[in-house]
Amino acid sequence: MSSNRIETVVSDIVDSVRHVLMRHDVTFDEYRAGVMYLVETAKAGEIPLLVDVFFNSTISDIENAVFGGTEGTIEGPYYLPDAPIIPNGGEVLTYEDDRNVPMIVRGTVRDLEGKPIAGAVVDIWHSTPDGYYGGIHNDIPADFYRGKVLTDAEGQYLVRSTLPVAYKIPDQGPTGALLVKMGRHSWRPAHVHFKVRADGFHTLTTQSYFEGGEYVDDDCCTGVRNSQIKGDVREDGAKVIENDFQLAPAAAARRAA
Ligand code: MBD
Ligand code: FE
């Protein structure tokens, strides 16, 4: 491969798009409409959403093939790096809401040999009971429905929160509107996002889904991986997500090996 990676990858993308335009005899008016669509998407602040809908899952698949460990899936556009630290066993900040269903998220973080990793950061974020994200939608504070918990000496973590619901990309915006024009829907199944970090390990970005949940079989972002669909576990009226993670060595450690 050429030593100029930008030249290599961008040229290939341009070639691929040219082929599509030719295959479908795309007209100048259609081309202009496409340009204006991108202008509108940028104005609406939806470039990350639009790109993640179509391409984030591909990047996750590439990372899975390269690194191994627990299967990763899409980060999505609503990750915020500065979520509050939650004590292990503690609670994520949520609003009182009649629709709240208590949720417990717990598990163990291990390396590829199965050895527990102490002090790993499990960064969790998910929607409100009406499908919005803290720090993104409806003036919900940025420290709500998000938090980082550190694993204990046994590599274990536990946090309490409330159950998220299926998320609809609003179809008033350019991204949802495009999906609708394509004859698709703009729903994602209910999910909990995770980013798991530990020194010397490749950061894992993944999500958990709920078995039998709406849109689990038909995610508009193609982000569902079977290994991340969780069975229906309940304890004391709370829905439990058991999520054990195996982290792969960091890229630098892989190169040195
Ligand atoms: C989400 O909550 C999400 O996780 C993705 C990938 C896209 C849109 C909204
Ligand atoms: Fe999400």
Side-chain angles (χ1 to χ4, degrees):
M1 193 168 60
S2 152
S3 62
N4 185 339
R5 187 162 166 82
I6 294 182
E7 207 286 319
T8 305
V9 175
V10 175
S11 296
D12 243 10
I13 291 173
V14 170
D15 275 353
S16 300
V17 174
R18 283 185 176 149
H19 279 118
V20 172
L21 299 178
M22 290 196 293
R23 196 181 318 138
H24 299 286
D25 292 324
V26 169
T27 66
F28 186 80
D29 284 350
E30 289 170 335
Y31 165 72
R32 257 308 155 235
V35 173
M36 289 322 292
Y37 176 77
L38 292 177
V39 170
E40 290 308 314
T41 304
K43 263 194 215 153
E46 286 195 4
I47 294 283
L49 178 60
L50 177 72
V51 177
D52 284 355
V53 165
F54 293 112
F55 300 113
N56 193 342
S57 68
T58 303
I59 301 295
S60 300
D61 289 340
I62 294 165
E63 292 225 328
N64 288 331
V66 169
F67 287 94
T70 295
E71 196 168 24
T73 184
I74 54 187
E75 176 176 294
Y78 303 144
Y79 174 66
L80 297 176
D82 296 322
I85 305 275
I86 313 287
N88 203 336
E91 275 182 41
V92 171
L93 291 170
T94 58
Y95 287 125
E96 288 289 327
D97 191 309
D98 292 345
R99 295 163 293 188
N100 280 349
V101 176
M103 172 175 75
I104 294 171
V105 185
R106 69 183 180 207
T108 305
V109 182
R110 298 187 178 88
D111 66 15
L112 293 184
E113 277 78 55
K115 208 160 102 318
I117 303 173
V121 180
V122 181
D123 198 335
I124 294 172
W125 71 106
H126 63 81
S127 83
T128 62
D130 47 0
Y132 298 103
Y133 279 83
I136 307 286
H137 304 115
N138 300 357
D139 299 318
I140 305 163
D143 53 351
F144 271 50
Y145 302 92
R146 312 174 173 271
K148 295 171 181 157
V149 59
L150 271 69
T151 56
D152 65 15
E154 279 76 54
Q156 293 181 327
Y157 72 94
L158 185 151
V159 279
R160 293 164 196 282
S161 191
T162 58
L163 199 65
V165 294
Y167 175 83
K168 186 180 204 296
I169 296 169
D171 34 63
Q172 305 88 292
T175 308
L178 177 64
L179 290 170
V180 170
K181 280 205 171 175
M182 290 168 76
R184 299 187 187 182
H185 66 75
S186 60
W187 286 89
R188 296 212 66 219
H191 57 280
V192 178
H193 292 269
F194 297 87
K195 217 178 238 302
V196 188
R197 285 189 204 79
D199 285 344
F201 293 91
H202 180 65
T203 296
L204 169 70
T205 304
T206 193
Q207 305 184 14
S208 293
Y209 305 92
F210 303 96
E211 193 173 51
E214 262 190 309
Y215 302 105
V216 168
D217 298 326
D218 190 19
D219 176 8
C220 72
C221 295
T222 59
V224 178
R225 297 293 174 271
N226 286 338
S227 64
Q228 294 300 344
I229 302 173
K230 303 295 169 186
D232 187 24
V233 179
R234 285 174 197 262
E235 272 175 31
D236 307 326
K239 182 106 173 162
V240 179
I241 297 188
E242 290 270 4
N243 218 341
D244 295 339
F245 300 112
Q246 277 200 298
L247 298 186
R254 286 167 48 86
R255 278 196 295 273

